[in-house]
Amino acid sequence: QVQLVESGGGLVQPGGSLRLSCAASGSILSLLIPTMAWYRQAPGKERNLVATISGGSITKYADSVKGRFTISRDNAKKTVYLQMNSLKPEDTAVYYCNAAIPTRTGDANYWGQGTQVTVSS
């Protein structure tokens, strides 16, 4: 089992910045460094991938956030971050942390409870 706890959401004006954190725990994390990701879900819309970071810190981003968001990780702290700059109203959503744990039958996905980000003047 893996537990994920997000923090850092809030209300910010357009053009502002926020940094989200996702603290992971679970005994499996002492054996491997999983790929982690941030997703977001706006009201009435499906959950979409924002950014991923592999165990080797290779990153990928959705086109909508490239150049504005940065995903990073601190493996010693078992924490993943999402630095969000130049925020836009369309970035408003609940942001979820995800961990993909490899198993014999495929990846097992774990999710945090989500943190609300609201971009508004």
Side-chain angles (χ1 to χ4, degrees):
Q1 290 285 346
V2 174
Q3 293 78 43
L4 303 172
V5 178
E6 301 103 332
S7 61
L11 173 64
V12 63
Q13 292 186 342
S17 299
L18 281 176
R19 189 175 84 151
L20 306 183
S21 299
C22 172
S25 61
S27 58
I28 190 68
L29 299 179
S30 64
L31 302 176
L32 56 84
I33 303 174
T35 292
M36 304 285 293
W38 287 97
Y39 286 74
R40 66 186 181 186
Q41 187 168 19
K45 297 187 177 181
E46 62 184 20
R47 191 173 297 187
N48 291 319
L49 180 65
V50 175
T52 65
I53 185 165
S54 71
S57 293
I58 295 173
T59 60
K60 294 182 180 180
Y61 297 92
D63 287 344
S64 59
V65 306
K66 281 181 182 177
R68 300 188 298 122
F69 290 12
T70 302
I71 189 171
S72 61
R73 66 192 303 162
D74 183 333
N75 292 330
K77 294 182 178 179
K78 296 184 175 60
T79 299
V80 175
Y81 305 97
L82 185 68
Q83 178 67 44
M84 306 185 294
N85 299 328
S86 302
L87 283 160
K88 305 175 181 180
E90 51 263 44
D91 295 317
T92 295
V94 178
Y95 283 70
Y96 296 92
C97 181
N98 168 272
I101 305 298
T103 72
R104 288 179 293 176
T105 56
D107 285 349
N109 282 287
Y110 294 89
W111 297 91
Q113 81 287 353
T115 186
Q116 176 71 47
V117 172
T118 303
V119 184
S120 176
S121 55

